[in-house]
Amino acid sequence: MDIRTSAMGSDVGGGVPRITTEVEHDDSDGDQSIMEMSHPQDMRGDARIRWVYFMLGAATLLSWNAMINANPFFISRLLGSPLRTSFSSYLSSVFTASNVVTLAHAIMTSKHSSPSRRAFWSTALTSAIVTILFLTTFLHHSPAPFFYFIMISAFCLSGCASYLSNSVFAGAALFGAPYMQSMMSGQAAVAVAVSSVQVIGTAISVWGTTPLALAISATNPDGKAEEKSARIFFGISALYMIATLLAYRWLASLQVYTTIMGALENNLKPRVVSDEAGERQPLLPAVLPSTVEGNQIFRVFQTNFIYNFAVGFVFTVTLAVYPAITVTIKPTNMNTHPLLFTAVHFLLFSSGDLLGRHMCSFPQLIIWSARRVLALSLLRTLFIPAFLLCNVELSLHVTPFISSDLVYMLLLCALGVSNGYVSTLCMLGAPSLEHNRRLKGRQEDVDVASTVAAFCLIVGLAVGGFASFGVRAVICNCNPFTS
């Protein structure tokens, strides 16, 4: 009995591809579509599909990068509001808290919902919200309504990112390792791309600014440069999300996509005929259970507690200072525009994070010992007092201990490199049957270990976002780290 899937129309106005399954008994050509699907040209050489997964991977993290890179614009619109000083902490907390809740729901309901529909609507809603944010750069509202609008936007964007991520991971896992690698590359590259666009847009908006104008804007900011920069940034981001939506619709119309995803859409067993199974074998188990037992999740969480805690703590430390605290650090060189300084700081962190992830592609740089990885994670706590020694914008006017912009940028780059490197070590080690003896060779625990570690990563982001309030309190009340 052979299984064939095909796209049979669409839901709601033709927007969402609907996958149905046909069961036939014709053995003469029943494997033809499967054989074509598993041809090397489709599974390894079809750069078009890999590029779509690259775009989808980037789209899963575009929302977060869009919101944090637009911090200067948001803050400029809150001038005179008591919410201005703690805005970055509120933004990080709302976004990451929403991420935790919605991702948990996405995981629990993943077997009862269509990944294709989730991916389509998540991408469409993200495109719409980013477009609305672009339009806000032309409007001016009072600080309080604007604050709540941004918080609602962050909550919705985070939810869309969670459902999109859950769907895209599932699809890439079924397609195989090359497509999973493309998606992961997209996730790592989006932050660099977004930051680069922000730096270019900022450079254009402040081009020709004189030192006298800098001094005036420092005491009486008008927000025009931030507005122009955000307008360019949100405009390009909206166009990218629309392009991703169109690319996904094209992907969903392919026979190879409907064949592969039919296994996940209908809980069917995927059939991959291959003479190079190691390269093209689906990454998810052949039989997809309708539910994952709660006791299995708890057991795997306990088994991999060191990895899970380590990856969560990595992002707790990072979010405690970045971007809530780092955006308040100003250049000590008076000839440097603060807005450009902030934009470059996002780019440096993102580039460092990408470099840290790339370091794990070299086997000699991978650390498999869970305890050593945990030690590296805990050592990153030192970044918190280190950044408080820099030129943080304070209510108490004191001389910063670290007065060099170069030293600050190097410190920021180190934060990014260690963030990418240590977190990737955790994500590699947690589900590894070969190197993680705690799993005791249980193949059925591999996907659960990966999912639990990813969830702990999100929890770490949320905890770090709330921790930034405490770090900010130290700055405002009794900064003991400056002299």
Side-chain angles (χ1 to χ4, degrees), residues 17-30:
R18 183 173 61 212
I19 299 176
T20 60
T21 303
E22 298 176 2
V23 180
E24 300 185 3
H25 296 271
D26 185 2
D27 292 330
S28 60
D29 60 32

Side-chain angles (χ1 to χ4, degrees), residues 181 194 310-311 334:
Q181 291 168 358
V194 165
V311 72
M334 299 304 295

Side-chain angles (χ1 to χ4, degrees), residues 143-349:
F146 182 76
F147 173 83
Y148 291 112
F149 166 74
I150 296 302
M151 292 299 111
I152 293 172
S153 298
F155 185 90
C156 295
L157 283 172
S158 178
C160 290
S162 296
Y163 291 108
L164 178 61
S165 177
N166 179 260
S167 301
V168 172
F169 263 104
L174 281 177
F175 264 88
Y179 299 90
M180 179 65 78
Q181 291 168 358
S182 295
M183 193 207 68
M184 294 296 293
S185 297
Q187 285 191 322
V190 65
V192 176
V194 165
S195 300
S196 298
V197 170
Q198 182 75 345
V199 168
I200 295 172
T202 301
I204 293 173
S205 64
V206 303
W207 184 266
T209 303
T210 63
L212 177 60
L214 280 176
I216 294 174
S217 65
T219 57
N220 187 27
D222 58 7
K224 294 296 183 183
E226 290 85 351
E227 181 181 280
K228 292 179 182 177
S229 177
R231 186 173 299 158
I232 295 172
F233 171 70
F234 281 128
I236 294 176
S237 298
L239 291 175
Y240 177 82
M241 288 304 305
I242 293 172
T244 301
L245 182 63
L246 296 175
Y248 174 73
R249 287 202 62 183
W250 169 82
L251 174 63
S253 68
L254 298 180
Q255 179 63 41
V256 61
Y257 182 85
T258 56
T259 302
I260 288 288
M261 292 301 293
L264 197 59
E265 297 277 347
N266 303 292
N267 287 328
L268 299 173
K269 180 178 179 179
R271 298 180 59 194
V272 178
V273 180
S274 170
D275 55 349
E276 298 180 54
E279 184 71 24
R280 303 191 295 273
Q281 185 70 20
L283 300 183
L284 290 181
V287 179
L288 298 173
S290 58
T291 58
V292 179
E293 295 294 337
N295 58 350
Q296 182 190 15
I297 295 177
F298 184 71
R299 173 175 55 80
V300 173
F301 172 79
Q302 286 185 310
T303 298
N304 276 347
F305 180 79
I306 295 180
Y307 282 119
N308 295 332
F309 179 83
V311 72
F313 194 75
V314 165
F315 286 93
T316 295
V317 171
T318 298
L319 265 290
V321 293
Y322 177 88
I325 306 304
T326 57
V327 294
T328 68
I329 296 177
K330 304 302 179 183
T332 56
N333 184 347
M334 299 304 295
N335 292 325
T336 302
H337 197 292
L339 182 59
L340 185 60
F341 185 81
T342 300
V344 171
H345 119 285
F346 282 119
L347 178 59
L348 274 180
F349 175 86

